Amino acid sequence: YTKMETCLTPLPEVSDIKETAGGHLARWPERLTAVPPRIMSGTVNGISADIFEKDTDLWKKRLLHYKALDYQLAEPGRYRNLLDMNSYLGGFAAALVDYPVWVMNVVPVEAQVNTLGVIYERGLIGTYQNWCEAMSTYPRTYDFIHADALFSLYNDRCELEDILLEMDRLLRPQGSVIIRDDVDVLVNVKSIVDGLNWESKMVDSEGSPHAREKILIATKQYWTLPAASDQGHQGSDSAS
């Protein structure tokens, strides 16, 4: 019986009845790449129109590199449900607009800037999430997971294993992940994903090969434990 008014964010006030509260949104698909009204008005701390446009171009280049690493990204129908664990301005999802995929954009509650409103103004879908906790995903799993600088963000907040186990739960067998982060972070991440029986490799990012930022690409394998009878036979063979 708690009143919901305190949970609602009111639209900005306007001085004229013909004005659009919050700013005018471009029509789709121009809306996807047009500078969102809240950035134009300067209400998103530290993000200008120039930063937004450069980020949009950056993710177009990064997607081309990703397709070279995982050709299935360019294969229609191979991936359908995608999860971007640290979306920032939604540039990764925007770069995929011409592909038949559905992308859930996540803004971590620990992110320095709250950009979920920008994602919605671009015509994308998104949510908040603390990745030290489980994510409610009913009824879907994901074919592909993207994580940009996520593990650096959660450094000293929770264990790498906790986040990677949650990723393993969210990802269907034969699904893939792309994780980009500092090389030292990815070395630790790779040791864990190898323990999860993922097939993984670390490669250079689209920038300089000398840059500290690297990319880890991995695929979740389909496997099961041996049957109890098989384990028993193995034990008998060892004893003999």
Side-chain angles (χ1 to χ4, degrees):
Y1 299 101
T2 301
K3 293 186 180 297
M4 295 185 64
E5 280 79 358
T6 56
C7 302
L8 302 176
T9 302
L11 290 171
E13 294 184 2
V14 294
S15 57
D16 188 277
I17 194 172
K18 294 183 179 180
E19 290 185 46
T20 302
H24 175 72
L25 288 170
R27 289 184 175 274
W28 184 266
E30 290 77 14
R31 179 179 176 183
L32 189 66
T33 53
V35 180
R38 67 185 61 208
I39 291 180
M40 291 293 289
S41 64
T43 57
V44 184
N45 186 34
I47 300 179
S48 64
D50 184 57
I51 290 174
F52 173 83
E53 290 170 349
K54 287 181 178 178
D55 183 78
T56 299
D57 291 338
L58 174 64
W59 280 106
K60 290 177 181 178
K61 296 175 182 177
R62 286 180 170 179
L63 181 61
L64 290 175
H65 186 60
Y66 286 173
K67 286 162 58 179
L69 300 176
D70 183 356
Y71 69 92
Q72 295 179 100
L73 266 175
E75 191 176 300
R78 180 60 180 86
Y79 298 133
R80 296 168 296 171
N81 302 324
L82 279 64
L83 175 66
D84 191 358
M85 299 177 72
N86 189 13
S87 298
Y88 187 44
L89 301 176
F92 174 64
L96 286 163
V97 65
D98 293 327
Y99 296 85
V101 297
W102 181 91
V103 184
M104 171 58 76
N105 296 281
V106 176
V107 176
V109 295
E110 295 82 3
Q112 292 183 351
V113 183
N114 181 357
T115 55
L116 187 60
V118 172
I119 288 169
Y120 274 102
E121 287 186 346
R122 297 186 79 168
L124 303 170
I125 192 170
T127 186
Y128 295 116
Q129 173 66 24
N130 178 349
W131 287 113
C132 292
E133 301 176 3
M135 181 183 184
S136 176
T137 59
Y138 180 83
R140 72 178 69 243
T141 55
Y142 290 93
D143 307 308
F144 185 93
I145 297 178
H146 179 250
D148 176 25
L150 181 79
F151 292 94
S152 290
L153 177 64
Y154 280 89
N155 187 35
D156 298 328
R157 296 180 188 271
C158 56
E159 299 297 328
L160 296 179
E161 291 89 340
D162 295 335
I163 300 176
L164 287 165
L165 283 171
E166 180 65 359
M167 292 172 69
D168 185 74
R169 183 185 71 84
L170 298 174
L171 189 66
R172 66 165 178 78
Q174 299 302 316
S176 297
V177 301
I178 285 183
I179 305 170
R180 55 187 310 135
D181 219 311
D182 183 83
V183 61
D184 290 341
V185 173
L186 288 187
V187 167
N188 293 330
V189 170
K190 189 177 189 308
S191 67
I192 299 170
V193 302
D194 289 345
L196 291 172
N197 283 339
W198 290 9
E199 185 180 285
S200 69
K201 63 179 179 180
M202 195 185 309
V203 298
D204 293 328
S205 64
E206 65 285 340
S208 168
H210 304 293
R212 290 194 57 83
E213 184 184 54
K214 301 296 181 184
I215 293 173
L216 180 68
I217 180 169
T219 301
K220 178 178 176 179
Q221 301 301 300
Y222 184 83
W223 63 277
T224 59
L225 289 173
S229 58
D230 294 338
Q231 291 180 329
H233 290 312
Q234 291 175 0
S236 300
D237 295 341
S238 299
S240 61

